[in-house]
Amino acid sequence: MLPKKYKPQLEEKKWQDYWKENNTFAFDHNSDKEIYSIDTPPPTVSGVLHIGHVYSYTQAEIIARFQRMKGKNVFYPFGFDDNGLPTERYVEKKKKVRGNKMKRSEFNDLCRSTVVELEEQFKNMWTSLGFSADWNLTYSTIQDDCQRISQRSFLDLHKQNLVEHRNEPNMWCVECQTAIAQAELESIDKDSTFNDLKFSLEDGGEIIIATTRPELLPSCVCIFVHPDDSRYKNIIGKNAIVPIFGHKVPILTDEKADIEKGTGAVMCCTFGDKTDIEWFKKHKLPLRVSISKYGKTTELAGDFQNLKIKEARKQIIEKLNETGVLLKSKSISHPVNTHERCGTDIEFLSTKQWVIKVMDHKDDLLKLADKINWYPKFMKQRYIHWVENLSWDWCISRQRFFGVPFPIWHCEDCNTQITPEDSELPVDPKENSPKKDCPKCGSSNLVGDLNIMDTWMTSSMSPQINYKWGEENSLENKLAPMSMRPQAHDIIRTWAFYTIVKSWFHQKDIPWKDIMISGHVLYKKGAKISKSKGNGPSGPEKLIEQYSADVIRYWTAGAKLGADCYFEEQEFKIAAKLVTKLFNASKFALMHLDGFTTPDTSKITFAIDKGLISLLQKVCKKSNQYLEEYNYSLALSEIESFFWDFCDNYMELMKHRVYNPQDHGEGSKESAQNALYLVIFSLIRLLAPFIPHITEEIYHAFFKGIEKVDSVHLCEYPKANDDFISDDDEKTYFDSKTFVGAIRKFKTENRLSLNTELDTIEYISSQFSSIKGGLSDVQRASGCLNLKVVDTLSENLSLIEFEEKTLAIDYTPKEVETN
Ligand SMILES: [Zn+2]
Ligand SMILES: [Zn+2]
């Protein structure tokens, strides 16, 4: 039996321990059942988890539980993404160190020990939310087998000629001291000034150009105007003199120079932006590097050398002003590309980097999008938009420390690249020598590659990590492609895209059949809750303690898939109300099921009971259908409205019958009991994926003794049974509750107690045509044993109207008191 009061803080922990002890959610490696596999996002180990994580991860967890109850063998792993820049930045901040100022091995040890603590915290948090992951399937991206799979990926791409070691201009973060990829850019509006500068022409005259980056003047290599810009017709091909720095640059034409912007003349530098790089390649311009990889001006900047970029800009603007070159300076706010991890403005430097050639494969990558089912559908467009607008190959090398090394050595004598055998992986070429000399020139002068991989290079392999691609115990045949990837919408351009890229290159297939995209939790309008911004509400642990895991879970399921939601603590209170009501309703039902041992649906003979059971079938049908489509919020709202109707109307209608069955005829109690059993047992199963603890509590209090299954979560998710659907019975139920509702409203309005007995009530049969089937329930629930069917309502009685129906009551309403 259920306890007097439900104390979630105690009971939830009890069930979490129970599931753990019984291995309730373990993936069965030997089963022939259909597999449902989930490519769970490995959270970046770079800070604490916030309510936004709870939101999206729970939405996916609900699906895992649903699929398990559908009888599938659910593969539900959890991983940690703990290599690469985000983790390094976290460790640098937390331990107040700099990776580049320490011995590499010491820094890596520090990273390893720091992530272990955090991962334990993460795991505890997921467990306290009742997550049904199989922790035996846990991985961390820095561990050996993940490194091996990343290196295997690189070697496979290398073999297929899909990676290249290129020396070319690339995006660079001067703060993190590494190359980065297009996907890591974040466009932020920043204040700046738009400056009109006067360049003198070599043989007299002048040209005015506008720029936000005058500190790049020493890097200026030419001036571009549009070929159709009549203003500059006569000076094309002539030389201009760069103010302050004095070097001569030609005036050239290019279609990309915008006639409308500023004066229409623009300076091209090494490199201010992506267009500069395109021009550099297209027009074979010289290279003038005035900003170093440390973000300081080089000797090219003359008097302004060795300054940080912003300081150089300030001093150069002052000088331009003094010398009369600065004609106009306008304050503007404009979008600037920054590094998403640190917010630093991006620079463009020529460095040698490893890149994956994605640009050549855009068509294939677009076609793959059609083979994947996107939930919600419109999210596919975001992927397509990203791929269509992609303008860089994927730069995968980072000049950092804590990550997967590139398994490759370079021959110092002939530049040949030497790769290890698969059996040597994982390998750190900085620590280990290759097993052979250069196959081309025979030299033993071989140097290990110094870079580490972009962290996405490993996390993009999460499906392959899950099925242990290329490993001895590989599950590739069983799991590839995986069933489903859950993730948030902001990483479609990174995680979803890179995973699709890898799967295409390695498996020539999609990585997963379905992708379920969730939204964010917003704290106030427009602001995403994130650990780095520190704008979240109190941590998830506190919220769980205060409201319980079930309540928090219920809240996450209230928001539409893919939609962002605002954090409203008020909504937790609504959720708490449902959990309490479910407990109380079940307690009432179980009280009347005392001694009940053999459920038998053929004993449900009363029309009101049958009407409710008919409605239940429709709820089962819809919630299955919605959950199959990842539409957990619609499923929940169907179940919820059924549940409240059951509590508010059905229980009121049949209450008298379970207490006094003798008044209702033969089989009346059995009918009610069987209906109660079926409804409560169905409700706890319908709700189990959403609120797993309280439903398990109710299941164990009674149903387990009859059903003999160890957990409600291993019971079957309720399926609709069409044999139980009956429009007539539903109508009886509906009319009966309308009838009782009308009387109750009347009593309330006349300040009569709800169990006041009323004398005659007349009704016209056509208005409550089906009430007959539930007559004994209606009579008792309405407090009127004397119901009369008439053709015309008596005029001397009080007429009451309710939902477009009319009743006549033998009762004189009191005068309404007025002040
Ligand atoms: Zn950075
Ligand atoms: Zn060689």
Side-chain angles (χ1 to χ4, degrees):
M1 280 292 130
L2 287 167
K4 236 185 183 146
K5 206 171 173 270
Y6 180 65
K7 295 194 187 83
Q9 283 70 14
L10 295 176
E11 309 300 349
E12 292 192 338
K13 177 79 179 49
K14 176 183 81 189
W15 294 119
Q16 287 154 15
D17 292 345
Y18 177 84
W19 297 328
K20 191 176 165 191
E21 278 158 28
N22 290 281
N23 254 329
T24 310
F25 306 122
F27 174 70
D28 185 349
H29 286 265
N30 302 314
S31 163
D32 291 333
K33 283 200 290 188
E34 187 186 341
I35 293 173
Y36 185 85
S37 55
I38 301 173
D39 186 17
T40 313
T44 306
V45 181
S46 60
V48 292
L49 294 173
H50 53 77
I51 194 73
H53 290 108
V54 169
Y55 182 72
S56 56
Y57 277 78
T58 307
Q59 290 165 354
E61 207 272 343
I62 289 166
I63 300 299
R65 284 183 181 269
F66 166 70
Q67 291 289 350
R68 198 178 291 113
M69 291 179 77
K70 292 299 287 178
K72 300 207 183 131
N73 186 13
V74 173
F75 180 92
Y76 186 27
F78 249 85
F80 300 105
D81 191 9
D82 53 7
N83 83 53
L85 195 52
T87 302
E88 289 189 343
R89 301 246 350 141
Y90 171 75
V91 173
E92 285 183 336
K93 228 170 138 185
K94 173 124 201 239
K95 306 282 177 189
K96 298 196 171 52
V97 295
R98 296 284 285 189
N100 56 3
K101 302 258 159 66
M102 285 174 79
K103 247 181 89 179
R104 192 184 192 108
S105 58
E106 275 171 25
F107 181 66
N108 283 354
D109 286 347
L110 188 62
C111 289
R112 270 179 199 267
S113 63
T114 312
V115 298
V116 170
E117 293 161 28
L118 266 186
E119 284 165 16
E120 196 53 33
Q121 277 177 34
F122 281 21
K123 191 180 159 186
N124 290 340
M125 216 280 283
W126 299 131
T127 307
S128 70
L129 272 166
F131 273 29
S132 63
D134 181 349
W135 294 101
N136 295 316
L137 307 173
T138 306
Y139 63 86
S140 97
T141 56
I142 198 69
Q143 80 195 23
D144 277 0
D145 54 350
C146 291
Q147 294 213 27
R148 190 157 57 229
I149 289 169
S150 300
Q151 292 191 334
R152 186 171 293 138
S153 164
F154 175 81
L155 292 176
D156 189 40
L157 298 174
H158 192 261
K159 204 165 125 196
Q160 295 186 59
N161 196 23
L162 290 164
V163 281
E164 224 169 40
H165 203 204
R166 275 189 211 150
N167 193 354
E168 65 171 20
N170 216 314
M171 284 161 279
W172 181 268
C173 177
V174 297
E175 165 67 23
C176 301
Q177 287 286 304
T178 181
I180 64 163
Q182 186 180 352
E184 288 159 85
L185 298 183
E186 186 178 11
S187 180
I188 296 179
D189 280 326
K190 289 194 173 184
D191 292 334
S192 182
T193 54
F194 205 42
N195 308 289
D196 282 358
L197 309 181
K198 184 175 70 184
F199 282 49
S200 311
L201 300 182
E202 193 178 22
D203 40 11
E206 59 187 39
I207 183 167
I208 294 158
I209 65 110
T211 179
T212 54
R213 300 201 57 184
E215 75 276 16
L216 286 176
L217 280 172
S219 279
C220 180
V221 288
C222 69
I223 291 169
F224 278 112
V225 296
H226 194 277
D228 299 337
D229 196 336
S230 54
R231 290 171 289 186
Y232 303 111
K233 235 184 197 153
N234 300 327
I235 57 169
I236 290 165
K238 294 191 169 165
N239 282 333
I241 298 163
V242 177
I244 305 180
F245 302 94
H247 59 285
K248 290 175 202 158
V249 294
I251 298 165
L252 306 174
T253 60
D254 193 282
E255 308 274 343
K256 262 203 154 176
D258 187 351
I259 298 185
E260 306 292 325
K261 197 176 168 192
T263 59
V266 58
M267 67 174 183
C268 173
C269 306
T270 310
F271 299 103
D273 57 19
K274 192 164 174 295
T275 313
D276 282 352
I277 297 171
E278 280 168 30
W279 280 336
F280 163 77
K281 289 181 186 168
K282 181 175 164 192
H283 295 271
K284 302 204 167 28
L285 298 167
L287 206 60
R288 289 181 67 92
V289 180
S290 72
I291 290 175
S292 73
K293 65 179 193 171
Y294 305 106
K296 289 191 169 175
T297 44
T298 64
E299 68 273 18
L300 261 190
D303 294 346
F304 302 93
Q305 76 171 286
N306 212 22
L307 296 176
K308 284 197 169 168
I309 297 168
K310 275 185 190 144
E311 184 57 28
R313 185 181 306 168
K314 190 171 149 245
Q315 292 192 18
I316 288 174
I317 287 180
E318 273 167 24
K319 182 81 176 176
L320 290 166
N321 201 15
E322 271 167 35
T323 50
V325 174
L326 180 65
L327 301 179
K328 208 164 78 189
S329 189
K330 192 168 82 186
S331 292
I332 55 161
S333 171
H334 69 151
V336 176
N337 275 324
T338 64
H339 183 204
E340 61 170 3
R341 300 282 174 204
C342 65
T344 308
D345 294 6
I346 287 305
E347 299 299 330
F348 296 89
L349 293 183
S350 272
T351 51
K352 199 158 191 184
Q353 304 293 348
W354 288 103
V355 293
I356 298 182
K357 298 189 241 174
V358 286
M359 294 293 285
D360 298 343
H361 300 269
K362 276 187 173 190
D363 286 346
D364 287 332
L365 295 169
L366 286 169
K367 271 185 219 145
L368 280 182
D370 292 330
K371 294 193 178 157
I372 296 168
N373 304 310
W374 298 75
Y375 299 95
K377 262 201 179 91
F378 68 87
M379 289 291 181
K380 181 165 101 178
Q381 212 40 50
R382 297 210 189 172
Y383 170 86
I384 290 175
H385 188 254
W386 174 255
V387 177
E388 281 176 346
N389 289 287
L390 199 65
S391 45
W392 299 75
D393 279 328
W394 176 14
C395 172
I396 51 165
S397 45
R398 299 290 179 272
Q399 289 63 58
R400 299 288 304 186
F401 323 99
F402 189 58
V404 182
F406 283 82
I408 203 154
W409 293 268
H410 304 273
C411 173
E412 292 275 86
D413 294 322
C414 76
N415 256 335
T416 295
Q417 296 167 355
I418 296 118
T419 54
E421 297 298 325
D422 190 83
S423 58
E424 295 169 52
L425 306 182
V427 68
D428 186 350
K430 294 177 288 293
E431 309 282 333
N432 309 97
S433 310
K435 296 223 159 97
K436 54 201 172 198
D437 290 336
C438 174
K440 197 170 165 202
C441 73
S443 165
S444 56
N445 198 4
L446 311 175
V447 195
D449 196 280
L450 286 175
N451 299 295
I452 61 159
M453 294 179 188
D454 175 8
T455 177
W456 293 113
M457 180 75 183
T458 312
S459 49
S460 60
M461 296 297 286
S462 59
Q464 290 88 345
I465 288 171
N466 280 319
Y467 56 71
K468 304 181 191 299
W469 176 55
E471 301 284 292
E472 247 172 42
N473 49 354
S474 169
L475 299 170
E476 184 171 355
N477 288 337
K478 274 189 166 180
L479 297 182
M482 294 185 76
S483 309
M484 190 268 276
R485 149 72 65 88
Q487 65 160 75
H489 58 62
D490 60 331
I491 52 172
I492 291 175
R493 64 178 189 178
T494 46
W495 197 37
F497 171 66
Y498 290 148
T499 310
I500 293 172
V501 167
K502 288 295 196 73
S503 181
W504 176 242
F505 286 159
H506 297 314
Q507 271 80 34
K508 283 284 169 286
D509 200 356
I510 48 171
W512 358 260
K513 294 175 198 126
D514 297 349
I515 181 166
M516 169 189 183
I517 311 253
S518 59
H520 291 294
V521 180
L522 307 178
Y523 193 41
K524 51 181 191 239
K525 209 171 163 43
K528 175 178 138 191
I529 288 189
S530 75
K531 58 203 164 193
S532 59
K533 286 174 187 148
N535 62 348
S538 50
E541 290 85 356
K542 277 214 174 119
L543 289 171
I544 296 169
E545 212 182 290
Q546 191 181 347
Y547 291 101
S548 84
D550 280 346
V551 166
I552 308 291
R553 294 175 59 103
Y554 181 92
W555 164 74
T556 69
K560 239 169 76 183
L561 179 65
D564 293 341
C565 89
Y566 289 109
F567 179 82
E568 300 265 16
E569 214 161 327
Q570 190 57 32
E571 285 175 26
F572 294 144
K573 290 176 186 151
I574 299 171
K577 208 174 134 198
L578 180 119
V579 173
T580 309
K581 187 76 183 177
L582 178 65
F583 183 78
N584 291 335
S586 303
K587 233 167 92 172
F588 170 84
L590 298 193
M591 199 168 80
H592 294 289
L593 287 172
D594 197 20
F596 181 85
T597 50
T598 340
D600 180 357
T601 48
S602 71
K603 291 193 171 151
I604 305 178
T605 50
F606 269 52
I608 290 203
D609 301 337
K610 290 202 288 188
L612 182 80
I613 301 302
S614 177
L615 287 174
L616 174 66
Q617 306 314 310
K618 295 181 176 169
V619 174
C620 293
K621 191 172 269 176
K622 281 192 181 161
S623 53
N624 271 284
Q625 182 194 327
Y626 286 139
L627 284 168
E628 291 286 1
E629 295 164 357
Y630 303 97
N631 219 327
Y632 51 79
S633 63
L634 283 183
L636 182 58
S637 106
E638 284 290 331
I639 302 165
E640 216 189 315
S641 24
F642 175 81
F643 171 69
W644 286 113
D645 181 44
F646 165 75
C647 295
D648 296 345
N649 300 307
Y650 173 77
M651 294 221 297
E652 291 304 326
L653 268 169
M654 56 69 81
K655 215 186 229 159
H656 187 273
R657 185 148 42 101
V658 284
Y659 286 110
N660 306 289
Q662 70 282 359
D663 295 348
H664 296 261
E666 207 181 323
S668 66
K669 187 165 181 180
E670 286 75 12
S671 179
Q673 283 185 316
N674 276 290
L676 278 179
Y677 186 90
L678 183 58
V679 171
I680 299 284
F681 183 44
S682 299
L683 269 173
I684 58 172
R685 285 178 294 152
L686 286 168
L687 287 167
F690 301 93
I691 43 177
H693 304 89
I694 181 108
T695 48
E696 187 80 307
E697 178 82 26
I698 296 167
Y699 176 76
H700 279 255
F702 184 72
F703 298 92
K704 185 174 174 241
I706 292 172
E707 301 293 333
K708 312 282 183 217
V709 177
D710 286 341
S711 163
V712 70
H713 303 289
L714 300 176
C715 292
E716 190 190 15
Y717 200 76
K719 272 198 302 241
N721 181 344
D722 287 343
D723 294 346
F724 290 146
I725 293 184
S726 154
D727 289 345
D728 288 347
D729 293 328
E730 275 183 39
K731 185 133 183 26
T732 298
Y733 173 60
F734 183 78
D735 278 350
S736 301
K737 75 181 184 191
T738 311
F739 190 97
V740 173
I743 307 284
R744 292 181 151 243
K745 188 169 168 264
F746 175 81
K747 287 182 182 172
T748 312
E749 280 171 0
N750 288 283
R751 296 188 200 139
L752 296 169
S753 125
L754 286 179
N755 44 27
T756 310
E757 292 280 338
L758 293 171
D759 292 336
T760 307
I761 300 177
E762 291 179 357
Y763 68 97
I764 295 170
S765 115
S766 61
Q767 289 205 346
F768 293 93
S769 55
S770 318
I771 200 175
K772 265 206 184 101
L775 202 58
S776 73
D777 284 334
V778 172
Q779 284 174 318
R780 265 77 185 188
S782 63
C784 183
L785 295 175
N786 194 8
L787 293 181
K788 257 195 205 161
V789 194
V790 293
D791 291 329
T792 322
L793 298 171
S794 307
E795 304 241 333
N796 58 339
L797 301 182
S798 308
L799 296 185
I800 61 168
E801 305 213 348
F802 188 75
E803 297 186 3
E804 294 172 12
K805 295 177 184 188
T806 316
L807 295 171
I809 295 189
D810 185 7
Y811 176 84
T812 315
K814 285 186 188 125
E815 288 289 316
V816 178
E817 287 166 38
T818 46
N819 296 344

